[in-house]
Amino acid sequence: DIQVTQSPSSLSASVGDRVTITCQASQDIANYLNWYQQKPGKAPKLLIYDASNLETGVPSRFSGSGSGTHFTFTISSLQPEDVATYYCQEYESLHITFGQGTRLEIE
Amino acid sequence: QLQLQESGPGRVKPSETLSLTCTVSGDSISATVYYWGWIRQPPGKGLEWIGSTYYRGRTYSNPSLESRVTMSIDKSKNQFSLSLSSVTAADTAVYYCATTPSATIITYFDYWGPGTLVSVSS
């Protein structure tokens, strides 16, 4: 099965900072990678699909890039409401795998 | 817009079967453009995909859970269900139902229920 390694596991940044999270796949998954935001006590919310496509209604400060085995998720200017845990998810195989998550906090 | 709502017992005894239902509103569960799925999250931990099913019977499950998982669809009630047999404390988690907007492969999950906590204890 495909493994996805997400880093860092936690991150603290200031409002207005540019924040980057990475996901590394154990084999080539083309662009079959998605990103979610999960706030405490809530269900995950889809932000980015197919590596770089912004889900409808998601603010443009969120973006994704990458293909093959290396992927990046970026918040261009961190806002207080972005405090959450972020997950990547691959779907190259028939068996879906999520990354371990990155907990994002405000300094 | 789709809305999903999980329901089921909040507590299950070890070795018994966990059964959950997801009620769908906003579209027919027989719509040809969705896979209906389950994802779980143990307290304080990450997300784990359990499996997804299509109304015509096509089903995919996480290999680590496959032998214990059964999924079904009730078109008359616009619901889909999950059964997980022989549960242990490791199955304690928040269980989410979610949709994939695809009739062919499982890609991403765009609509989610709020989740329901199931605890396994005697």
Side-chain angles (χ1 to χ4, degrees), chain A residues 45 47 54-55 57-63:
Chain A
K45 175 186 176 182
L47 299 180
L54 194 67
E55 174 71 341
V58 174
S60 59
R61 65 180 180 274
F62 296 101
S63 65

Side-chain angles (χ1 to χ4, degrees), chain A:
Chain A
D1 283 353
I2 296 170
Q3 309 298 319
V4 284
T5 303
Q6 193 174 334
S7 62
S9 58
S10 64
L11 176 59
S12 183
S14 300
V15 173
D17 281 356
R18 183 180 183 89
V19 170
T20 299
I21 299 168
T22 64
C23 226
Q24 186 85 21
S26 58
Q27 64 189 68
D28 189 337
I29 59 170
N31 67 332
Y32 300 154
L33 189 104
N34 310 308
W35 292 95
Y36 299 84
Q37 175 193 65
Q38 186 179 32
K39 296 186 177 181
K42 300 293 186 182
K45 175 186 176 182
L46 177 68
L47 299 180
I48 303 286
Y49 64 94
D50 296 347
S52 61
N53 294 298
L54 194 67
E55 174 71 341
T56 302
V58 174
S60 59
R61 65 180 180 274
F62 296 101
S63 65
S65 64
S67 66
T69 61
H70 187 78
F71 301 85
T72 300
F73 171 81
T74 300
I75 306 174
S76 60
S77 178
L78 185 65
Q79 300 302 303
E81 61 266 32
D82 299 337
V83 170
T85 300
Y86 294 83
Y87 293 94
C88 59
Q89 173 245 312
E90 68 80 25
Y91 65 92
E92 197 279 339
S93 67
L94 291 176
H95 305 136
I96 307 302
T97 305
F98 287 90
Q100 300 86 346
T102 296
R103 184 173 178 176
L104 175 59
E105 298 178 336
I106 299 285
E107 284 182 345

Side-chain angles (χ1 to χ4, degrees), chain B residues 27-36 54-55 99-104:
Chain B
D27 203 347
S28 168
I29 203 161
S30 298
T32 58
V33 294
Y34 300 116
Y35 265 92
W36 308 96
Y54 188 60
Y55 86 102
T99 62
T100 296
S102 168
T104 53

Side-chain angles (χ1 to χ4, degrees), chain B residues 12-25:
Chain B
V12 180
K13 293 181 179 179
S15 79
E16 295 188 345
T17 296
L18 177 161
S19 296
L20 295 174
T21 296
C22 184
T23 300
V24 179
S25 57

Side-chain angles (χ1 to χ4, degrees), chain B residues 25-95:
Chain B
S25 57
D27 203 347
S28 168
I29 203 161
S30 298
T32 58
V33 294
Y34 300 116
Y35 265 92
W36 308 96
W38 294 94
I39 296 107
R40 71 180 184 178
Q41 184 172 37
K45 296 188 178 180
L47 300 165
E48 180 180 36
W49 173 69
I50 300 170
S52 298
T53 187
Y54 188 60
Y55 86 102
R56 288 181 177 173
R58 198 182 311 141
T59 295
Y60 300 101
S61 300
N62 189 320
S64 68
L65 299 169
E66 197 166 20
S67 63
R68 299 194 289 131
V69 167
T70 303
M71 291 177 285
S72 62
I73 289 177
D74 187 333
K75 299 173 188 177
S76 67
K77 294 182 179 178
N78 225 39
Q79 295 175 335
F80 62 105
S81 298
L82 168 72
S83 293
L84 182 66
S85 64
S86 304
V87 298
T88 68
D91 295 310
T92 294
V94 174
Y95 286 76

